[in-house]
Amino acid sequence: MLQLNSFDESKESELRAFLIEYASKIKENDPELWTSRISFDCEIPMNLANLKLVDQLDSLKPLGHCFEEPRFCIDAEIDSIRFYNDKQTGEPRHTAVTIKGALGEAQKIMFFNEVYRELEGAKLVKFVVSASRNTFRGRTSLSLMGHDFSL
């Protein structure tokens, strides 16, 4: 019979401090361990992240096994960050990053099922994104899905 032990919540801060110290030592000894290994297809300037790019990508479809959706690296200035909560738990679950587009317009990058607090306070960031089209209430706009970032 499987027996589960409960966690003594009074020791939470002590455990948290231990884990942070442990992870910091690992990071100090092997900084490459923390370097992203996600790949992207090409780096593009912000002025090319638009609906014309999506039109070109649509001509490449169908995408799938051995022909995955292209990913792009963009340098962007963060305007704001918002965390969307899980509907059941009320805890933060998704990260929405508003960046400045090529003409200064607001553009959102969505990271679903990830909470990236380290983006708070950051200004210029490299993002790895995929691009698609979103139509809402008759208005079509660029949709950028976040896959990774580098501060």
Side-chain angles (χ1 to χ4, degrees):
M1 181 164 133
L2 180 65
Q3 184 176 8
L4 299 176
N5 296 322
S6 62
F7 175 72
D8 183 355
E9 292 182 19
S10 69
K11 298 190 184 241
E12 180 181 353
S13 60
E14 184 180 326
L15 177 61
R16 183 181 313 275
F18 171 79
L19 290 173
I20 290 171
E21 182 182 339
Y22 181 74
S24 296
K25 286 179 184 175
I26 292 173
K27 185 176 182 180
E28 185 178 310
N29 292 334
D30 188 5
E32 288 300 310
L33 181 67
W34 301 94
T35 302
S36 171
R37 288 174 176 73
I38 194 168
S39 62
F40 55 89
D41 295 288
C42 70
E43 191 165 345
I44 60 171
M46 276 304 299
N47 65 322
L48 293 182
N50 56 38
L51 287 172
K52 288 181 184 179
L53 172 66
V54 176
D55 290 338
Q56 291 298 314
L57 296 176
D58 284 347
S59 71
L60 300 174
K61 290 182 177 179
L63 304 170
H65 182 65
C66 295
F67 192 59
E68 296 178 4
E69 177 182 43
R71 291 184 178 181
F72 304 96
C73 181
I74 57 173
D75 289 325
E77 185 179 342
I78 293 179
D79 190 48
S80 64
I81 297 185
R82 181 173 177 193
F83 300 104
Y84 291 104
N85 294 339
D86 184 280
K87 291 179 182 174
Q88 293 178 342
T89 67
E91 295 295 316
R93 183 163 182 188
H94 313 292
T95 303
V97 181
T98 303
I99 60 171
K100 293 182 181 177
L103 303 174
E105 75 283 7
Q107 174 64 54
K108 188 182 292 183
I109 299 174
M110 285 298 305
F111 288 92
F112 286 104
N113 300 312
E114 299 290 345
V115 177
Y116 292 121
R117 299 241 181 243
E118 58 266 45
L119 286 170
E120 293 178 307
K123 281 296 170 197
L124 191 59
V125 178
K126 283 188 178 292
F127 292 99
V128 175
V129 298
S130 55
S132 62
R133 174 182 291 106
N134 180 43
T135 303
F136 181 69
R137 294 184 180 169
R139 184 173 172 256
T140 301
S141 62
L142 176 68
S143 177
L144 295 177
M145 302 305 296
H147 299 282
D148 202 359
F149 63 91
S150 175
L151 299 175

Short mmCIF file of all heavy atoms in Angstrom, two decimals, residues 45-111:
data_model
loop_
_atom_site.label_atom_id
_atom_site.label_comp_id
_atom_site.label_asym_id
_atom_site.label_seq_id
_atom_site.Cartn_x
_atom_site.Cartn_y
_atom_site.Cartn_z
N PRO A 45 13.94 41.40 -38.20
CA PRO A 45 13.68 42.69 -37.55
C PRO A 45 12.18 42.84 -37.29
O PRO A 45 11.35 42.20 -37.96
CB PRO A 45 14.17 43.72 -38.56
CG PRO A 45 14.13 43.02 -39.88
CD PRO A 45 14.34 41.56 -39.59
N MET A 46 11.82 43.66 -36.33
CA MET A 46 10.41 43.82 -35.95
C MET A 46 9.54 44.26 -37.12
O MET A 46 8.37 43.89 -37.20
CB MET A 46 10.28 44.84 -34.81
CG MET A 46 10.49 44.26 -33.43
SD MET A 46 9.39 42.87 -33.03
CE MET A 46 7.79 43.62 -33.15
N ASN A 47 10.09 45.03 -38.07
CA ASN A 47 9.24 45.50 -39.17
C ASN A 47 8.80 44.37 -40.10
O ASN A 47 7.88 44.54 -40.88
CB ASN A 47 9.94 46.61 -39.97
CG ASN A 47 11.17 46.12 -40.69
OD1 ASN A 47 11.93 45.30 -40.17
ND2 ASN A 47 11.39 46.62 -41.89
N LEU A 48 9.43 43.19 -40.00
CA LEU A 48 8.99 42.03 -40.79
C LEU A 48 8.01 41.13 -40.03
O LEU A 48 7.46 40.20 -40.61
CB LEU A 48 10.19 41.21 -41.26
CG LEU A 48 11.11 41.90 -42.27
CD1 LEU A 48 12.23 40.94 -42.68
CD2 LEU A 48 10.34 42.40 -43.48
N ALA A 49 7.82 41.40 -38.76
CA ALA A 49 6.84 40.63 -37.97
C ALA A 49 5.47 41.28 -38.19
O ALA A 49 5.05 42.18 -37.46
CB ALA A 49 7.22 40.64 -36.50
N ASN A 50 4.79 40.83 -39.25
CA ASN A 50 3.51 41.42 -39.61
C ASN A 50 2.65 40.40 -40.34
O ASN A 50 3.05 39.25 -40.51
CB ASN A 50 3.72 42.69 -40.46
CG ASN A 50 4.55 42.41 -41.70
OD1 ASN A 50 4.41 41.36 -42.33
ND2 ASN A 50 5.42 43.33 -42.05
N LEU A 51 1.49 40.82 -40.80
CA LEU A 51 0.58 39.89 -41.47
C LEU A 51 1.10 39.42 -42.83
O LEU A 51 0.74 38.33 -43.29
CB LEU A 51 -0.81 40.52 -41.62
CG LEU A 51 -1.61 40.61 -40.32
CD1 LEU A 51 -2.88 41.41 -40.52
CD2 LEU A 51 -1.93 39.22 -39.79
N LYS A 52 1.97 40.18 -43.47
CA LYS A 52 2.57 39.72 -44.74
C LYS A 52 3.43 38.48 -44.48
O LYS A 52 3.48 37.57 -45.30
CB LYS A 52 3.40 40.83 -45.38
CG LYS A 52 2.56 41.93 -45.97
CD LYS A 52 3.42 42.99 -46.61
CE LYS A 52 2.58 44.14 -47.11
NZ LYS A 52 3.38 45.19 -47.73
N LEU A 53 4.12 38.46 -43.34
CA LEU A 53 4.90 37.27 -42.96
C LEU A 53 3.97 36.06 -42.82
O LEU A 53 4.27 34.97 -43.31
CB LEU A 53 5.65 37.52 -41.65
CG LEU A 53 6.35 36.31 -41.03
CD1 LEU A 53 7.49 35.83 -41.93
CD2 LEU A 53 6.88 36.64 -39.65
N VAL A 54 2.82 36.26 -42.19
CA VAL A 54 1.86 35.17 -42.00
C VAL A 54 1.34 34.68 -43.35
O VAL A 54 1.17 33.47 -43.56
CB VAL A 54 0.71 35.60 -41.07
CG1 VAL A 54 -0.34 34.51 -40.96
CG2 VAL A 54 1.24 35.97 -39.70
N ASP A 55 1.10 35.62 -44.29
CA ASP A 55 0.67 35.22 -45.64
C ASP A 55 1.71 34.31 -46.28
O ASP A 55 1.36 33.30 -46.91
CB ASP A 55 0.46 36.45 -46.53
CG ASP A 55 -0.76 37.26 -46.11
OD1 ASP A 55 -1.66 36.70 -45.44
OD2 ASP A 55 -0.82 38.46 -46.45
N GLN A 56 2.99 34.65 -46.14
CA GLN A 56 4.05 33.82 -46.71
C GLN A 56 4.09 32.45 -46.02
O GLN A 56 4.28 31.43 -46.66
CB GLN A 56 5.41 34.51 -46.56
CG GLN A 56 5.56 35.74 -47.43
CD GLN A 56 5.47 35.40 -48.90
OE1 GLN A 56 6.07 34.44 -49.37
NE2 GLN A 56 4.68 36.16 -49.65
N LEU A 57 3.93 32.45 -44.69
CA LEU A 57 3.94 31.18 -43.94
C LEU A 57 2.76 30.30 -44.35
O LEU A 57 2.90 29.08 -44.45
CB LEU A 57 3.91 31.44 -42.44
CG LEU A 57 5.13 32.16 -41.86
CD1 LEU A 57 4.92 32.45 -40.39
CD2 LEU A 57 6.39 31.35 -42.09
N ASP A 58 1.60 30.92 -44.60
CA ASP A 58 0.42 30.15 -45.01
C ASP A 58 0.67 29.42 -46.33
O ASP A 58 0.16 28.33 -46.55
CB ASP A 58 -0.80 31.07 -45.16
CG ASP A 58 -1.38 31.47 -43.82
OD1 ASP A 58 -1.01 30.86 -42.79
OD2 ASP A 58 -2.20 32.42 -43.79
N SER A 59 1.51 30.00 -47.20
CA SER A 59 1.78 29.35 -48.48
C SER A 59 2.65 28.11 -48.32
O SER A 59 2.76 27.31 -49.24
CB SER A 59 2.45 30.34 -49.45
OG SER A 59 3.78 30.62 -49.04
N LEU A 60 3.28 27.94 -47.14
CA LEU A 60 4.13 26.78 -46.88
C LEU A 60 3.36 25.59 -46.30
O LEU A 60 3.90 24.50 -46.18
CB LEU A 60 5.25 27.15 -45.90
CG LEU A 60 6.20 28.25 -46.34
CD1 LEU A 60 7.15 28.60 -45.19
CD2 LEU A 60 6.97 27.83 -47.57
N LYS A 61 2.12 25.82 -45.91
CA LYS A 61 1.34 24.77 -45.24
C LYS A 61 1.02 23.64 -46.20
O LYS A 61 0.97 23.86 -47.40
CB LYS A 61 0.07 25.38 -44.65
CG LYS A 61 0.37 26.28 -43.47
CD LYS A 61 -0.88 26.84 -42.85
CE LYS A 61 -0.48 27.68 -41.64
NZ LYS A 61 -1.62 28.28 -41.00
N PRO A 62 0.84 22.44 -45.73
CA PRO A 62 0.64 22.04 -44.33
C PRO A 62 1.97 21.85 -43.60
O PRO A 62 2.95 21.39 -44.16
CB PRO A 62 -0.11 20.72 -44.43
CG PRO A 62 0.35 20.13 -45.72
CD PRO A 62 0.63 21.30 -46.63
N LEU A 63 1.96 22.25 -42.35
CA LEU A 63 3.11 22.07 -41.47
C LEU A 63 2.85 20.83 -40.63
O LEU A 63 1.71 20.43 -40.42
CB LEU A 63 3.29 23.29 -40.58
CG LEU A 63 3.42 24.63 -41.31
CD1 LEU A 63 3.36 25.78 -40.34
CD2 LEU A 63 4.71 24.67 -42.11
N GLY A 64 3.90 20.23 -40.11
CA GLY A 64 3.72 19.05 -39.28
C GLY A 64 5.03 18.32 -39.08
O GLY A 64 6.10 18.92 -39.11
N HIS A 65 4.93 17.01 -38.92
CA HIS A 65 6.11 16.17 -38.67
C HIS A 65 7.14 16.37 -39.78
O HIS A 65 6.82 16.30 -40.96
CB HIS A 65 5.69 14.71 -38.57
CG HIS A 65 6.82 13.79 -38.26
ND1 HIS A 65 7.49 13.83 -37.06
CD2 HIS A 65 7.41 12.83 -39.00
CE1 HIS A 65 8.45 12.92 -37.08
NE2 HIS A 65 8.42 12.30 -38.25
N CYS A 66 8.37 16.64 -39.40
CA CYS A 66 9.50 16.89 -40.31
C CYS A 66 9.37 18.20 -41.08
O CYS A 66 10.20 18.51 -41.93
CB CYS A 66 9.71 15.74 -41.28
SG CYS A 66 10.19 14.22 -40.46
N PHE A 67 8.33 18.96 -40.85
CA PHE A 67 8.18 20.28 -41.46
C PHE A 67 7.40 21.14 -40.47
O PHE A 67 6.23 21.43 -40.65
CB PHE A 67 7.47 20.18 -42.81
CG PHE A 67 7.55 21.46 -43.60
CD1 PHE A 67 8.77 22.00 -43.96
CD2 PHE A 67 6.39 22.12 -43.98
CE1 PHE A 67 8.84 23.17 -44.68
CE2 PHE A 67 6.45 23.29 -44.70
CZ PHE A 67 7.68 23.81 -45.05
N GLU A 68 8.10 21.49 -39.40
CA GLU A 68 7.45 22.18 -38.29
C GLU A 68 7.23 23.66 -38.59
O GLU A 68 7.85 24.23 -39.50
CB GLU A 68 8.30 22.02 -37.03
CG GLU A 68 8.41 20.59 -36.58
CD GLU A 68 9.28 20.42 -35.35
OE1 GLU A 68 9.74 21.43 -34.80
OE2 GLU A 68 9.50 19.27 -34.97
N GLU A 69 6.37 24.24 -37.80
CA GLU A 69 6.07 25.67 -37.90
C GLU A 69 7.36 26.47 -37.70
O GLU A 69 8.08 26.24 -36.74
CB GLU A 69 5.06 26.00 -36.81
CG GLU A 69 4.68 27.44 -36.70
CD GLU A 69 3.70 27.66 -35.57
OE1 GLU A 69 3.89 27.09 -34.48
OE2 GLU A 69 2.76 28.43 -35.78
N PRO A 70 7.67 27.41 -38.59
CA PRO A 70 8.88 28.21 -38.44
C PRO A 70 8.85 29.07 -37.17
O PRO A 70 7.81 29.56 -36.76
CB PRO A 70 8.88 29.11 -39.67
CG PRO A 70 7.94 28.47 -40.64
CD PRO A 70 6.95 27.74 -39.81
N ARG A 71 10.03 29.19 -36.57
CA ARG A 71 10.18 30.04 -35.38
C ARG A 71 11.21 31.12 -35.70
O ARG A 71 12.21 30.86 -36.36
CB ARG A 71 10.64 29.21 -34.19
CG ARG A 71 9.55 28.26 -33.72
CD ARG A 71 9.95 27.51 -32.50
NE ARG A 71 8.85 26.65 -32.07
CZ ARG A 71 8.90 25.88 -31.02
NH1 ARG A 71 9.99 25.84 -30.27
NH2 ARG A 71 7.87 25.13 -30.69
N PHE A 72 10.93 32.31 -35.18
CA PHE A 72 11.75 33.47 -35.47
C PHE A 72 12.27 34.09 -34.18
O PHE A 72 11.59 34.08 -33.16
CB PHE A 72 10.94 34.52 -36.25
CG PHE A 72 10.33 33.97 -37.49
CD1 PHE A 72 9.02 33.51 -37.51
CD2 PHE A 72 11.07 33.88 -38.66
CE1 PHE A 72 8.46 32.99 -38.66
CE2 PHE A 72 10.53 33.36 -39.82
CZ PHE A 72 9.22 32.91 -39.82
N CYS A 73 13.45 34.66 -34.27
CA CYS A 73 14.01 35.40 -33.15
C CYS A 73 13.85 36.88 -33.45
O CYS A 73 14.21 37.34 -34.54
CB CYS A 73 15.49 35.04 -32.97
SG CYS A 73 16.25 35.88 -31.57
N ILE A 74 13.28 37.61 -32.50
CA ILE A 74 13.12 39.06 -32.65
C ILE A 74 13.68 39.76 -31.42
O ILE A 74 13.61 39.23 -30.32
CB ILE A 74 11.63 39.46 -32.85
CG1 ILE A 74 10.77 38.98 -31.68
CG2 ILE A 74 11.09 38.96 -34.18
CD1 ILE A 74 9.34 39.49 -31.71
N ASP A 75 14.26 40.92 -31.63
CA ASP A 75 14.67 41.80 -30.52
C ASP A 75 13.53 42.77 -30.30
O ASP A 75 13.07 43.41 -31.26
CB ASP A 75 15.93 42.59 -30.87
CG ASP A 75 17.17 41.71 -30.92
OD1 ASP A 75 17.25 40.77 -30.11
OD2 ASP A 75 18.05 41.97 -31.76
N ALA A 76 13.07 42.88 -29.07
CA ALA A 76 11.93 43.75 -28.83
C ALA A 76 12.05 44.46 -27.49
O ALA A 76 12.63 43.93 -26.54
CB ALA A 76 10.64 42.93 -28.86
N GLU A 77 11.49 45.64 -27.44
CA GLU A 77 11.44 46.41 -26.21
C GLU A 77 10.12 46.11 -25.50
O GLU A 77 9.04 46.24 -26.08
CB GLU A 77 11.54 47.90 -26.53
CG GLU A 77 11.61 48.77 -25.30
CD GLU A 77 11.73 50.25 -25.63
OE1 GLU A 77 12.10 50.58 -26.78
OE2 GLU A 77 11.45 51.06 -24.74
N ILE A 78 10.22 45.70 -24.25
CA ILE A 78 9.02 45.38 -23.47
C ILE A 78 8.33 46.66 -23.02
O ILE A 78 8.96 47.56 -22.47
CB ILE A 78 9.36 44.50 -22.25
CG1 ILE A 78 9.85 43.13 -22.71
CG2 ILE A 78 8.15 44.36 -21.33
CD1 ILE A 78 10.24 42.20 -21.58
N ASP A 79 7.04 46.71 -23.25
CA ASP A 79 6.23 47.83 -22.81
C ASP A 79 5.55 47.49 -21.48
O ASP A 79 5.52 48.30 -20.57
CB ASP A 79 5.19 48.18 -23.88
CG ASP A 79 4.47 49.47 -23.58
OD1 ASP A 79 5.16 50.47 -23.27
OD2 ASP A 79 3.23 49.49 -23.66
N SER A 80 5.01 46.25 -21.40
CA SER A 80 4.35 45.83 -20.16
C SER A 80 4.25 44.30 -20.12
O SER A 80 4.40 43.64 -21.14
CB SER A 80 2.96 46.45 -20.02
OG SER A 80 2.11 45.98 -21.06
N ILE A 81 3.96 43.79 -18.92
CA ILE A 81 3.80 42.35 -18.71
C ILE A 81 2.54 42.13 -17.88
O ILE A 81 2.28 42.88 -16.93
CB ILE A 81 5.01 41.74 -17.99
CG1 ILE A 81 6.24 41.92 -18.87
CG2 ILE A 81 4.78 40.28 -17.65
CD1 ILE A 81 7.47 41.29 -18.35
N ARG A 82 1.80 41.11 -18.25
CA ARG A 82 0.58 40.78 -17.50
C ARG A 82 0.52 39.27 -17.35
O ARG A 82 0.87 38.53 -18.27
CB ARG A 82 -0.65 41.28 -18.26
CG ARG A 82 -1.93 40.99 -17.54
CD ARG A 82 -3.10 41.65 -18.21
NE ARG A 82 -4.30 41.27 -17.51
CZ ARG A 82 -5.51 41.47 -17.96
NH1 ARG A 82 -5.69 42.06 -19.12
NH2 ARG A 82 -6.55 41.09 -17.27
N PHE A 83 0.09 38.81 -16.20
CA PHE A 83 -0.05 37.38 -15.95
C PHE A 83 -1.55 37.07 -15.88
O PHE A 83 -2.30 37.72 -15.16
CB PHE A 83 0.64 36.99 -14.64
CG PHE A 83 2.11 37.30 -14.66
CD1 PHE A 83 2.60 38.40 -13.98
CD2 PHE A 83 2.99 36.52 -15.39
CE1 PHE A 83 3.94 38.71 -14.01
CE2 PHE A 83 4.34 36.82 -15.43
CZ PHE A 83 4.82 37.92 -14.74
N TYR A 84 -1.95 36.07 -16.65
CA TYR A 84 -3.35 35.64 -16.64
C TYR A 84 -3.48 34.45 -15.70
O TYR A 84 -2.66 33.54 -15.73
CB TYR A 84 -3.81 35.26 -18.05
CG TYR A 84 -3.90 36.45 -18.98
CD1 TYR A 84 -2.92 36.68 -19.94
CD2 TYR A 84 -4.96 37.34 -18.90
CE1 TYR A 84 -3.00 37.76 -20.79
CE2 TYR A 84 -5.05 38.44 -19.74
CZ TYR A 84 -4.06 38.64 -20.69
OH TYR A 84 -4.14 39.71 -21.53
N ASN A 85 -4.52 34.47 -14.90
CA ASN A 85 -4.72 33.45 -13.88
C ASN A 85 -5.45 32.22 -14.42
O ASN A 85 -6.25 32.32 -15.35
CB ASN A 85 -5.51 34.01 -12.70
CG ASN A 85 -4.72 35.07 -11.95
OD1 ASN A 85 -3.50 35.12 -12.03
ND2 ASN A 85 -5.42 35.91 -11.23
N ASP A 86 -5.16 31.09 -13.80
CA ASP A 86 -5.85 29.85 -14.06
C ASP A 86 -7.29 30.02 -13.57
O ASP A 86 -7.52 30.53 -12.48
CB ASP A 86 -5.15 28.71 -13.30
CG ASP A 86 -5.77 27.37 -13.60
OD1 ASP A 86 -6.83 27.06 -12.99
OD2 ASP A 86 -5.21 26.62 -14.40
N LYS A 87 -8.25 29.59 -14.37
CA LYS A 87 -9.66 29.77 -14.01
C LYS A 87 -10.07 28.94 -12.80
O LYS A 87 -10.97 29.32 -12.08
CB LYS A 87 -10.54 29.45 -15.20
CG LYS A 87 -10.41 30.48 -16.30
CD LYS A 87 -11.26 30.15 -17.50
CE LYS A 87 -11.04 31.20 -18.57
NZ LYS A 87 -11.71 30.89 -19.80
N GLN A 88 -9.40 27.82 -12.59
CA GLN A 88 -9.78 26.97 -11.46
C GLN A 88 -9.06 27.35 -10.18
O GLN A 88 -9.67 27.41 -9.12
CB GLN A 88 -9.52 25.50 -11.80
CG GLN A 88 -10.43 24.99 -12.88
CD GLN A 88 -10.14 23.54 -13.24
OE1 GLN A 88 -9.08 23.02 -12.94
NE2 GLN A 88 -11.09 22.90 -13.90
N THR A 89 -7.75 27.58 -10.27
CA THR A 89 -6.98 27.83 -9.05
C THR A 89 -6.85 29.30 -8.71
O THR A 89 -6.56 29.64 -7.56
CB THR A 89 -5.55 27.26 -9.18
OG1 THR A 89 -4.84 27.99 -10.20
CG2 THR A 89 -5.58 25.78 -9.53
N GLY A 90 -7.01 30.18 -9.70
CA GLY A 90 -6.82 31.61 -9.46
C GLY A 90 -5.36 32.02 -9.43
O GLY A 90 -5.04 33.19 -9.25
N GLU A 91 -4.46 31.05 -9.60
CA GLU A 91 -3.01 31.33 -9.59
C GLU A 91 -2.56 31.74 -10.99
O GLU A 91 -3.13 31.31 -11.99
CB GLU A 91 -2.25 30.07 -9.16
CG GLU A 91 -2.52 29.64 -7.74
CD GLU A 91 -2.03 30.64 -6.71
OE1 GLU A 91 -0.91 31.16 -6.87
OE2 GLU A 91 -2.79 30.92 -5.77
N PRO A 92 -1.49 32.55 -11.10
CA PRO A 92 -0.98 32.91 -12.43
C PRO A 92 -0.61 31.68 -13.24
O PRO A 92 -0.05 30.72 -12.71
CB PRO A 92 0.27 33.74 -12.10
CG PRO A 92 0.02 34.28 -10.74
CD PRO A 92 -0.75 33.20 -10.02
N ARG A 93 -0.97 31.71 -14.54
CA ARG A 93 -0.71 30.54 -15.39
C ARG A 93 -0.08 30.90 -16.74
O ARG A 93 0.65 30.10 -17.31
CB ARG A 93 -2.01 29.79 -15.63
CG ARG A 93 -1.80 28.54 -16.45
CD ARG A 93 -2.92 27.61 -16.34
NE ARG A 93 -2.63 26.40 -17.11
CZ ARG A 93 -3.50 25.47 -17.32
NH1 ARG A 93 -4.70 25.58 -16.83
NH2 ARG A 93 -3.16 24.42 -18.03
N HIS A 94 -0.41 32.07 -17.28
CA HIS A 94 0.08 32.47 -18.59
C HIS A 94 0.77 33.83 -18.49
O HIS A 94 0.41 34.64 -17.65
CB HIS A 94 -1.06 32.57 -19.61
CG HIS A 94 -1.99 31.41 -19.61
ND1 HIS A 94 -1.62 30.16 -20.03
CD2 HIS A 94 -3.28 31.31 -19.21
CE1 HIS A 94 -2.66 29.34 -19.92
NE2 HIS A 94 -3.67 30.02 -19.42
N THR A 95 1.74 34.08 -19.39
CA THR A 95 2.43 35.36 -19.42
C THR A 95 2.13 36.05 -20.74
O THR A 95 2.32 35.47 -21.81
CB THR A 95 3.96 35.17 -19.29
OG1 THR A 95 4.23 34.45 -18.08
CG2 THR A 95 4.68 36.50 -19.26
N ALA A 96 1.65 37.29 -20.65
CA ALA A 96 1.42 38.12 -21.83
C ALA A 96 2.41 39.27 -21.79
O ALA A 96 2.42 40.05 -20.83
CB ALA A 96 -0.01 38.64 -21.85
N VAL A 97 3.24 39.37 -22.81
CA VAL A 97 4.24 40.42 -22.89
C VAL A 97 3.83 41.38 -24.01
O VAL A 97 3.68 40.95 -25.15
CB VAL A 97 5.65 39.85 -23.19
CG1 VAL A 97 6.68 40.96 -23.24
CG2 VAL A 97 6.03 38.79 -22.18
N THR A 98 3.64 42.64 -23.68
CA THR A 98 3.35 43.64 -24.70
C THR A 98 4.66 44.30 -25.07
O THR A 98 5.39 44.81 -24.21
CB THR A 98 2.33 44.68 -24.20
OG1 THR A 98 1.14 44.01 -23.78
CG2 THR A 98 1.99 45.68 -25.28
N ILE A 99 4.96 44.25 -26.36
CA ILE A 99 6.20 44.84 -26.88
C ILE A 99 5.85 45.99 -27.80
O ILE A 99 4.70 46.15 -28.22
CB ILE A 99 7.06 43.80 -27.63
CG1 ILE A 99 6.29 43.22 -28.82
CG2 ILE A 99 7.51 42.69 -26.68
CD1 ILE A 99 7.11 42.35 -29.75
N LYS A 100 6.86 46.78 -28.13
CA LYS A 100 6.68 47.86 -29.09
C LYS A 100 7.00 47.34 -30.47
O LYS A 100 8.09 46.82 -30.72
CB LYS A 100 7.57 49.04 -28.73
CG LYS A 100 7.16 49.70 -27.44
CD LYS A 100 8.02 50.90 -27.13
CE LYS A 100 7.55 51.49 -25.79
NZ LYS A 100 8.38 52.60 -25.38
N GLY A 101 6.05 47.46 -31.40
CA GLY A 101 6.26 47.04 -32.77
C GLY A 101 7.18 48.00 -33.50
O GLY A 101 7.66 48.99 -32.94
N ALA A 102 7.40 47.73 -34.78
CA ALA A 102 8.33 48.53 -35.59
C ALA A 102 7.91 49.99 -35.67
O ALA A 102 8.76 50.88 -35.74
CB ALA A 102 8.45 47.93 -36.98
N LEU A 103 6.62 50.25 -35.66
CA LEU A 103 6.11 51.63 -35.76
C LEU A 103 5.67 52.17 -34.40
O LEU A 103 4.96 53.16 -34.33
CB LEU A 103 4.96 51.69 -36.76
CG LEU A 103 5.30 51.19 -38.18
CD1 LEU A 103 4.07 51.16 -39.05
CD2 LEU A 103 6.39 52.07 -38.79
N GLY A 104 6.07 51.48 -33.33
CA GLY A 104 5.71 51.92 -31.99
C GLY A 104 4.37 51.39 -31.50
O GLY A 104 3.96 51.68 -30.38
N GLU A 105 3.68 50.62 -32.34
CA GLU A 105 2.39 50.07 -31.95
C GLU A 105 2.57 48.91 -30.97
O GLU A 105 3.62 48.27 -30.95
CB GLU A 105 1.59 49.61 -33.18
CG GLU A 105 2.06 48.30 -33.80
CD GLU A 105 3.32 48.39 -34.65
OE1 GLU A 105 3.97 49.45 -34.69
OE2 GLU A 105 3.66 47.36 -35.26
N ALA A 106 1.56 48.66 -30.18
CA ALA A 106 1.62 47.57 -29.20
C ALA A 106 1.41 46.23 -29.90
O ALA A 106 0.54 46.10 -30.76
CB ALA A 106 0.56 47.77 -28.13
N GLN A 107 2.22 45.25 -29.54
CA GLN A 107 2.11 43.88 -30.06
C GLN A 107 2.27 42.93 -28.89
O GLN A 107 3.20 43.09 -28.10
CB GLN A 107 3.18 43.62 -31.12
CG GLN A 107 3.23 42.19 -31.61
CD GLN A 107 1.97 41.78 -32.34
OE1 GLN A 107 1.55 42.43 -33.28
NE2 GLN A 107 1.35 40.70 -31.89
N LYS A 108 1.39 41.96 -28.78
CA LYS A 108 1.43 41.02 -27.66
C LYS A 108 2.12 39.72 -28.05
O LYS A 108 1.91 39.20 -29.14
CB LYS A 108 0.02 40.72 -27.17
CG LYS A 108 -0.03 39.92 -25.88
CD LYS A 108 -1.44 39.60 -25.46
CE LYS A 108 -2.17 40.84 -25.06
NZ LYS A 108 -3.53 40.58 -24.56
N ILE A 109 2.95 39.20 -27.13
CA ILE A 109 3.53 37.86 -27.25
C ILE A 109 2.94 37.05 -26.10
O ILE A 109 3.07 37.43 -24.94
CB ILE A 109 5.07 37.88 -27.14
CG1 ILE A 109 5.68 38.73 -28.25
CG2 ILE A 109 5.62 36.45 -27.18
CD1 ILE A 109 7.19 38.90 -28.12
N MET A 110 2.32 35.92 -26.43
CA MET A 110 1.71 35.06 -25.41
C MET A 110 2.57 33.83 -25.13
O MET A 110 2.99 33.14 -26.05
CB MET A 110 0.32 34.59 -25.85
CG MET A 110 -0.76 35.64 -25.75
SD MET A 110 -1.07 36.26 -24.08
CE MET A 110 -1.39 34.78 -23.15
N PHE A 111 2.83 33.60 -23.85
CA PHE A 111 3.47 32.38 -23.38
C PHE A 111 2.40 31.62 -22.59
O PHE A 111 2.08 32.00 -21.46
CB PHE A 111 4.66 32.68 -22.47
CG PHE A 111 5.86 33.24 -23.18
CD1 PHE A 111 6.02 34.60 -23.32
CD2 PHE A 111 6.83 32.39 -23.69
CE1 PHE A 111 7.14 35.12 -23.95
CE2 PHE A 111 7.95 32.90 -24.33
CZ PHE A 111 8.10 34.27 -24.46
#
